Amino acid sequence: MVAYLGTKATAAMVARIGPGEFTQALADRIERDFRRWPEFETSARLASHSARGVIELMPTSDGRRYAFKYVNGHPANTQEGLLTVTAFGVLADVATGYPLLVSEMTLLTAIRTAATSAMAARTLAREGASRMALIGAGAQAEFQAIAFHRVCGVARIDVFDPDRRAVARLQTNLAGLAGLEIAPAASAAEACQHADIITTATAAKSRAAVLTRGMVKRGVHINAIGGDCPGKTELERDVLEGARIFVEYAPQTRIEGEIQQLPPDAPVTELWRVLRGEAQGRRNADEITLFDSVGFAIEDFSALEMAHEVAARLGAAAALDLVPQLADPKNLFGLLTDAVGVFHKGIDERHGFVGQDAQADAICAP
Amino acid sequence: MVAYLGTKATAAMVARIGPGEFTQALADRIERDFRRWPEFETSARLASHSARGVIELMPTSDGRRYAFKYVNGHPANTQEGLLTVTAFGVLADVATGYPLLVSEMTLLTAIRTAATSAMAARTLAREGASRMALIGAGAQAEFQAIAFHRVCGVARIDVFDPDRRAVARLQTNLAGLAGLEIAPAASAAEACQHADIITTATAAKSRAAVLTRGMVKRGVHINAIGGDCPGKTELERDVLEGARIFVEYAPQTRIEGEIQQLPPDAPVTELWRVLRGEAQGRRNADEITLFDSVGFAIEDFSALEMAHEVAARLGAAAALDLVPQLADPKNLFGLLTDAVGVFHKGIDERHGFVGQDAQADAICAP
């Protein structure tokens, strides 16, 4: 049987562990997997574009486990009360090719995005950074807040969103989180005024400039989440030109990230090289570092592998009969003869042959 | 909710409809979809190779529905009592990006392969063809037999397999199918002696020649199923050179099919062009036609769409909570606060914040 984690089961599992604990454990795991980056197959995601959005498959493998994520991006969905982005994923065993886990990944993607952000900031932000500006209080906000509090020791978040109800939701949802102050700001500039770290996570749908050069003080680390597809950016180009830029996988980020605004040969550093000691991270307390995050398949791999292990330890997953178990591998047809016991209707008992529904034509018609 | 068809539910659905009816309906649907081939996105499958096998993703879309299949190929699996090939697939709505159906496809792939074979033979075989040789009585055998009986009017199948128990299994499984005689043959050559159609479906793992030129009479249609990955072929090269060759998607078949034995510019015809009247099929009763089938994403698309529709009419599918349903799309974190009601353990009730499992570190550790 294949393990299954639906939305409710995943939420219950994360709630039981505690979102901070879960996020921190995942940040550590993503860092561990980034450190062994060369062991992974890497490729840009496989995208199917339509007028209303995009559907992507993001596979990777470390030679022991294979994982892929299905993720869509449909900005107009919110008009119908649907999510812009949903995702699910599969973890499989490379040795047999058998799937091990089918999991929701809408929630897991939110957590792994925040875990990656915080892990990058732990690596790149100034020592002692404790105050963060958060521009945009959308679906990612709580996850970013929890991750930076837990993984980086952020104690105060100055948040700006033109939607005041979104800010209020963020405050309510995190009211019980001791040691983290959420302070609404009147503008993005005000939020950034005393920030050591700036996180931009807006749903700006085209070229926007929610963060301008004047708002970024010396020594700040910028965590740019929102610009993540062609045509969608949220940082003024001047901000990019004044910062040392770190990315997940350069070929993908140059297409999807903030750096699509820069020439294709603009210097960027892949974060995993910093983690392995092969490239420099922050060089001094004054420079501005920027993590231009778009999301990469290895982060989903880490999330699926951790979810699979945690679910096994907690007994949190259900089971799917997605792969047949056969006594004789050549007798695949036996699935149908076995099924005779399930549907008795229409079976020709004289011959023992599986029968026909009288309305089969109508049932099967396109 | 996302519809779910496991192995048992799919088998029960096909058994209820009747495998012949289901296969014929799918053959008609694949033909319809092949006729509108230019509406589909086509690409060679995305493969992840390892020492023991391959895992592939096969996506396609017609602009209205998106489908992909996950399929593995691991020849050594049978040593552990596992299947060499298993598969599952997903059908999604292009307009919203939401998945509609998660389905097993081990069984569906067997049926769609046979349906495609029979549809091709209906198009390419000599008129009145009624006798088929079947070389190889593996997992595909019953499905091929039912498809050719039902779709092409084949009344007798001369079958050869060195494994006599496999032939006996085929006979037993199809004993109740009136109007189809299954006759064991002592050799592949004997099976082919009076054949109008020859189907090769062996598990030959490397370059084999289960069918040689001397066994192929004038006017025969060859349905070559077994050669379907690089390094695996089952037809003597002379057979290819004496036949007019039809394929699904030439760029993929040149890598995976029997024609990997031929020069890369050897003339082949894509079947959909014949179905659309843009290319010639069989030109006379004497020529040898060959369908070099490797399986293509559009066939899986047809199978998933039909399974989804039939399951809806019969109420045969279960439901998965693979995508969250949120009252406020910005409040993704609400999934966790809702989950507090599921797991009470470890919740800090004073703060209303989702709590920590005391053993979280151990549970989350790699």
Side-chain angles (χ1 to χ4, degrees):
Chain A
M1 301 294 271
V2 179
Y4 169 62
L5 281 172
T7 299
K8 283 197 172 61
T10 304
M13 182 174 81
V14 173
R16 172 162 167 189
I17 297 288
E21 282 289 333
F22 194 92
T23 304
Q24 177 155 45
L26 184 52
D28 292 345
R29 211 177 257 258
I30 292 170
E31 178 170 330
R32 185 198 65 174
D33 287 338
F34 271 40
R35 284 180 191 272
R36 62 189 188 96
W37 187 283
E39 295 174 24
F40 285 88
E41 283 182 6
T42 50
S43 59
R45 36 193 155 201
L46 189 66
S48 174
H49 293 276
S50 66
R52 297 197 46 184
V54 63
I55 295 174
E56 298 173 327
L57 297 175
M58 301 167 68
T60 190
S61 166
D62 69 350
R64 195 178 57 82
R65 293 281 181 262
Y66 171 93
F68 77 85
K69 180 167 82 172
Y70 170 109
V71 58
N72 75 292
H74 286 69
N77 271 4
T78 49
Q79 292 162 24
E80 301 168 38
L82 300 177
L83 291 163
T84 300
V85 175
T86 70
F88 64 89
V90 173
L91 185 73
D93 180 22
V94 170
T96 64
Y98 271 45
L100 301 169
L101 170 71
V102 174
S103 177
E104 85 79 40
M105 288 195 79
T106 308
L107 186 57
L108 282 183
T109 296
I111 297 172
R112 73 86 158 127
T113 299
T116 304
S117 289
M119 184 273 285
R122 177 168 70 184
T123 309
L124 297 171
R126 232 175 10 205
E127 220 170 309
S130 67
R131 197 158 160 178
M132 179 161 94
L134 175 60
I135 304 176
Q140 257 288 300
E142 288 89 345
F143 300 96
Q144 290 283 333
I146 289 172
F148 277 87
H149 171 61
R150 181 83 188 201
V151 176
C152 303
V154 162
R156 174 178 169 136
I157 297 178
D158 298 279
V159 57
F160 171 70
D161 194 302
D163 179 356
R164 280 165 182 252
R165 285 189 311 175
V167 175
R169 184 210 77 233
L170 172 64
Q171 288 186 290
T172 304
N173 276 337
L174 298 189
L177 189 52
L180 178 64
E181 185 184 353
I182 309 276
S187 68
E190 186 187 301
C192 293
Q193 218 156 9
H194 304 285
D196 304 306
I197 297 168
I198 299 172
T199 290
T200 56
T202 71
K205 280 172 193 60
S206 54
R207 297 296 163 112
V210 302
L211 189 68
T212 55
R213 181 66 181 267
M215 292 154 69
V216 182
K217 301 242 174 348
R218 281 190 309 169
V220 158
H221 173 70
I222 303 168
N223 172 43
I225 299 296
D228 63 353
C229 68
K232 177 168 179 262
T233 58
E234 56 186 7
L235 268 52
E236 191 182 54
R237 186 177 160 146
D238 274 3
V239 174
L240 301 177
E241 286 171 348
R244 287 191 59 229
I245 300 171
F246 299 85
V247 301
E248 288 139 319
Y249 180 58
Q252 182 177 300
T253 311
R254 290 196 192 277
I255 297 167
E256 302 174 358
E258 296 294 334
I259 58 171
Q260 63 187 278
Q261 302 180 67
L262 299 183
D265 59 349
V268 301
T269 303
E270 290 185 337
L271 181 62
W272 65 272
R273 293 190 180 277
V274 179
L275 294 168
R276 283 168 72 90
E278 297 174 5
Q280 277 195 300
R282 169 175 292 275
R283 292 175 303 199
N284 57 61
D286 283 343
E287 70 183 359
I288 295 166
T289 52
L290 165 61
F291 180 51
D292 185 4
S293 173
V294 297
F296 190 60
I298 294 175
E299 297 151 25
D300 300 313
F301 178 101
S302 309
L304 282 167
E305 196 170 52
M306 180 166 140
H308 186 236
E309 291 173 17
V310 171
R313 284 168 196 156
L314 295 179
L320 299 181
D321 69 329
L322 201 54
V323 174
Q325 293 173 302
L326 300 178
D328 172 5
K330 286 189 184 175
N331 191 15
L332 185 58
F333 191 79
L335 289 173
L336 296 182
T337 46
D338 288 351
V340 172
V342 181
F343 270 111
H344 284 283
K345 191 175 165 184
I347 291 160
D348 184 340
E349 293 192 334
R350 285 166 307 160
H351 295 299
F353 187 69
V354 183
Q356 277 169 236
D357 193 295
Q359 299 183 301
D361 279 349
I363 295 168
C364 294
Chain B
M1 300 294 272
V2 179
Y4 170 63
L5 282 171
T7 299
K8 284 197 172 60
T10 304
M13 181 173 82
V14 174
R16 172 162 168 188
I17 298 288
E21 281 290 333
F22 193 92
T23 305
Q24 177 154 47
L26 184 52
D28 293 346
R29 210 178 259 258
I30 292 170
E31 177 169 333
R32 186 199 64 174
D33 287 338
F34 270 41
R35 284 181 191 272
R36 61 189 188 96
W37 187 284
E39 296 173 24
F40 285 88
E41 281 182 6
T42 50
S43 59
R45 37 192 153 202
L46 189 66
S48 174
H49 293 276
S50 65
R52 297 195 49 181
V54 63
I55 295 175
E56 298 174 326
L57 297 175
M58 301 168 67
T60 190
S61 167
D62 69 350
R64 194 179 57 82
R65 293 281 181 262
Y66 170 93
F68 77 86
K69 181 167 80 172
Y70 169 109
V71 58
N72 74 293
H74 286 70
N77 271 4
T78 50
Q79 292 162 23
E80 302 167 38
L82 300 176
L83 291 163
T84 300
V85 176
T86 71
F88 64 89
V90 173
L91 185 72
D93 180 21
V94 170
T96 63
Y98 271 45
L100 300 169
L101 171 70
V102 174
S103 177
E104 84 81 39
M105 288 195 79
T106 308
L107 186 57
L108 282 183
T109 297
I111 297 172
R112 73 86 159 128
T113 299
T116 304
S117 290
M119 185 273 284
R122 176 169 70 184
T123 309
L124 298 171
R126 230 171 18 202
E127 222 170 307
S130 67
R131 197 158 160 177
M132 179 162 94
L134 175 60
I135 304 177
Q140 256 288 297
E142 288 89 345
F143 300 97
Q144 290 283 332
I146 289 172
F148 277 86
H149 171 62
R150 182 82 187 204
V151 176
C152 303
V154 162
R156 174 179 168 134
I157 296 177
D158 298 280
V159 57
F160 172 70
D161 193 304
D163 178 356
R164 279 163 183 250
R165 286 189 310 174
V167 174
R169 184 210 76 230
L170 172 64
Q171 288 187 292
T172 304
N173 275 338
L174 299 188
L177 189 53
L180 177 64
E181 186 184 353
I182 309 276
S187 67
E190 187 187 300
C192 293
Q193 218 157 11
H194 304 286
D196 305 307
I197 296 167
I198 299 171
T199 290
T200 56
T202 71
K205 281 173 192 61
S206 54
R207 298 295 164 114
V210 302
L211 189 69
T212 56
R213 182 65 180 271
M215 292 155 66
V216 183
K217 300 244 174 347
R218 282 191 308 169
V220 158
H221 172 71
I222 303 167
N223 172 43
I225 299 297
D228 63 354
C229 66
K232 177 169 180 258
T233 58
E234 57 185 8
L235 269 51
E236 191 182 55
R237 184 175 161 148
D238 274 3
V239 174
L240 302 177
E241 286 171 348
R244 287 191 59 230
I245 299 170
F246 300 85
V247 301
E248 288 141 318
Y249 179 60
Q252 182 176 302
T253 312
R254 290 195 193 278
I255 297 167
E256 301 174 358
E258 296 295 334
I259 58 171
Q260 62 186 279
Q261 301 181 68
L262 298 182
D265 59 348
V268 301
T269 303
E270 289 185 336
L271 182 62
W272 66 272
R273 293 190 180 276
V274 179
L275 295 168
R276 283 168 73 91
E278 297 173 5
Q280 277 196 300
R282 170 175 292 276
R283 292 173 304 196
N284 57 59
D286 284 343
E287 70 182 1
I288 294 165
T289 52
L290 165 61
F291 180 51
D292 184 4
S293 174
V294 297
F296 190 60
I298 294 175
E299 296 151 24
D300 300 313
F301 178 100
S302 310
L304 282 168
E305 195 169 53
M306 180 165 138
H308 186 236
E309 291 173 18
V310 170
R313 284 168 195 155
L314 294 178
L320 299 182
D321 68 330
L322 202 53
V323 174
Q325 293 174 304
L326 300 179
D328 171 5
K330 285 189 184 175
N331 191 16
L332 185 57
F333 192 80
L335 288 173
L336 296 182
T337 46
D338 289 351
V340 173
V342 181
F343 271 110
H344 284 284
K345 192 175 164 186
I347 292 161
D348 184 342
E349 294 191 335
R350 285 167 305 160
H351 295 298
F353 187 69
V354 182
Q356 276 170 236
D357 192 295
Q359 299 182 300
D361 278 348
I363 295 168
C364 293

